[in-house]
Amino acid sequence: MKPRRFDYVRPDSVEEAIAVLAEYGDAASVLAGGQSLMAMLNLRLAEPAVLLDIARLKELDTIRIAGEKVEVGAAVTQNRLKDWPELAGKLPLVAAALPLVGHFQTRNKGTVCGSIAHADPSSELPLTLATLGGEVVLRSRRGTRALAARDFQRGMLTTAREPDELITAVRFPVQSTRRVAFREVARRHGDFAIVAVAATVESATALRIGVGGVADRPAVRRATIDGAGAVKDFFESLAWELEGYDDTHASARLRRDLVRRVGLLVVEEALRCAA
Ligand SMILES: Cc1cc2nc3c(=O)[nH]c(=O)nc-3n(C[C@H](O)[C@H](O)[C@H](O)COP(=O)(O)OP(=O)(O)OC[C@H]3O[C@@H](n4cnc5c(N)ncnc54)[C@H](O)[C@@H]3O)c2cc1C
């Protein structure tokens, strides 16, 4: 299939971009890397009257450290963040997750913010942002607001973004630990995760755990490590709590089993990492 006809707008500034969104609202679609949107246009799952191309807006192509956060602008591609020299030092969990996002070619075009805007429950970047307690920056003519990742993603491909809002950046809190791990099970390298688990060690006894691919959005929990059985019990009850679902890739039962098994491996790996 081919997309329906649409007008194409390439603004020269963020101000211009939000003016277009103020005028067209949900009749406009923001085009970033196009790695998800182009497929949706071709399948006519999205039928915008206007395509607003922000990929070449220089003011959004920035990675900057702002206090205790790393702010990634909406035109920054996944490969640009992956190659950022400070990534492993400031955001080791993101460094662990990024190589699993699609393929080299898709990461060359796909943006970090586009992945978070798309809100696929199996995507690695929304899971990482949620696990780290990051936030999404939204701008419109009405002003700018920052939403916590847990409040931004509302469900499968559904977010709290209003139709006139542009995501201008996401902010990841700088990590004070290198004790992290990220693993996933996918059919092939570069596929979306069937189940993904992220872990970051917060103190001698506390971990933050994120699970993707099982519920309709990332699930983030704190776990206390007080003995070998505690981590096993934690994932056992999380697997039942999240339930999982059946699709062509896996049954709900397999998903629950993967949560238990991948969860244990991820925690072991995070605890083994040098502090
Ligand atoms: C072969 C292939 C394999 C892939 N594998 C994976 C994978 O394993 N894991 C994974 O996570 N992803 C995967 N992807 C998807 C990829 O990561 C996309 O890059 C990502 O989902 C969307 O980013 P994008 O910049 O391309 O956004 P686009 O496709 O341009 O946009 C996606 C959606 O977000 C909206 N949007 C984008 N930017 C903004 C913004 N600044 N403000 C408001 N709305 C915005 C768009 O309107 C659209 O609805 C794969 C894609 C392909 C083609």
Side-chain angles (χ1 to χ4, degrees):
M1 274 166 78
K2 287 183 179 166
R4 280 196 203 285
R5 286 173 69 92
F6 53 79
D7 288 338
Y8 173 83
V9 178
R10 209 176 93 204
D12 290 323
S13 65
V14 169
E15 214 51 57
E16 209 183 305
I18 60 176
V20 173
L21 290 177
E23 185 177 349
Y24 289 94
D26 56 14
S29 281
V30 176
L31 174 68
Q35 297 303 294
S36 298
L37 184 59
M38 293 314 293
M40 289 167 66
L41 291 175
N42 288 337
L43 293 168
R44 299 197 177 182
L45 294 171
E47 298 181 329
V50 174
L51 210 56
L52 178 66
D53 185 351
I54 60 155
R56 278 172 275 188
L57 280 181
K58 281 277 165 249
E59 58 189 301
L60 296 180
D61 192 14
T62 54
I63 304 173
R64 62 185 195 100
I65 299 164
E68 293 302 301
K69 291 176 181 157
V70 176
E71 188 175 279
V72 180
V76 174
T77 64
Q78 296 152 7
N79 265 349
R80 180 147 125 68
L81 182 61
K82 183 170 170 288
D83 294 343
W84 183 48
E86 299 203 50
L87 187 68
K90 303 277 185 216
L91 301 173
L93 188 67
V94 180
L98 264 172
L100 302 172
V101 180
H103 308 270
F104 180 81
Q105 293 86 343
T106 60
R107 292 194 300 267
N108 265 344
K109 298 291 282 181
T111 60
V112 174
C113 289
S115 174
I116 286 152
H118 190 54
D120 189 310
S122 298
S123 278
E124 294 84 359
L125 287 168
L127 172 60
T128 312
L129 189 74
T131 305
L132 292 176
E135 59 190 19
V136 179
V137 184
L138 298 138
R139 200 170 139 191
S140 70
R141 278 205 165 153
R142 295 173 290 119
T144 301
R145 62 182 180 139
L147 270 186
R150 68 173 176 276
D151 299 325
F152 176 73
Q153 191 162 344
R154 294 246 166 108
M156 170 92 69
L157 309 187
T158 307
T159 71
R161 182 181 87 87
E162 296 291 342
D164 64 341
E165 288 182 311
L166 180 71
I167 297 169
T168 53
V170 289
R171 295 183 185 136
F172 295 92
V174 171
Q175 293 189 256
S176 55
T177 177
R178 287 182 172 238
R179 302 176 83 190
V180 301
F182 190 107
R183 285 196 187 205
E184 68 180 31
V185 174
R187 284 199 170 260
R188 300 166 303 186
H189 175 77
D191 281 6
F192 284 90
I194 294 173
V195 168
V197 185
T200 165
V201 179
E202 294 195 318
S203 72
T205 54
L207 284 144
R208 212 172 152 94
I209 309 279
V211 176
V214 185
D216 65 350
R217 70 196 85 171
V220 180
R221 303 284 185 274
R222 281 210 152 79
T224 307
I225 328 154
D226 54 5
V231 181
K232 194 164 174 283
D233 292 347
F234 170 81
F235 283 108
E236 180 64 33
S237 77
L238 186 58
W240 284 112
E241 183 199 328
L242 298 179
E243 292 183 17
Y245 56 90
D246 297 320
D247 67 6
T248 50
H249 303 296
S251 63
R253 187 177 171 191
L254 176 59
R255 284 191 158 87
R256 287 196 295 272
D257 202 39
L258 290 173
V259 169
R260 296 180 188 104
R261 288 165 192 268
V262 181
L264 285 179
L265 291 176
V266 164
V267 168
E268 256 174 48
E269 189 181 325
L271 293 173
R272 264 200 323 267
C273 288

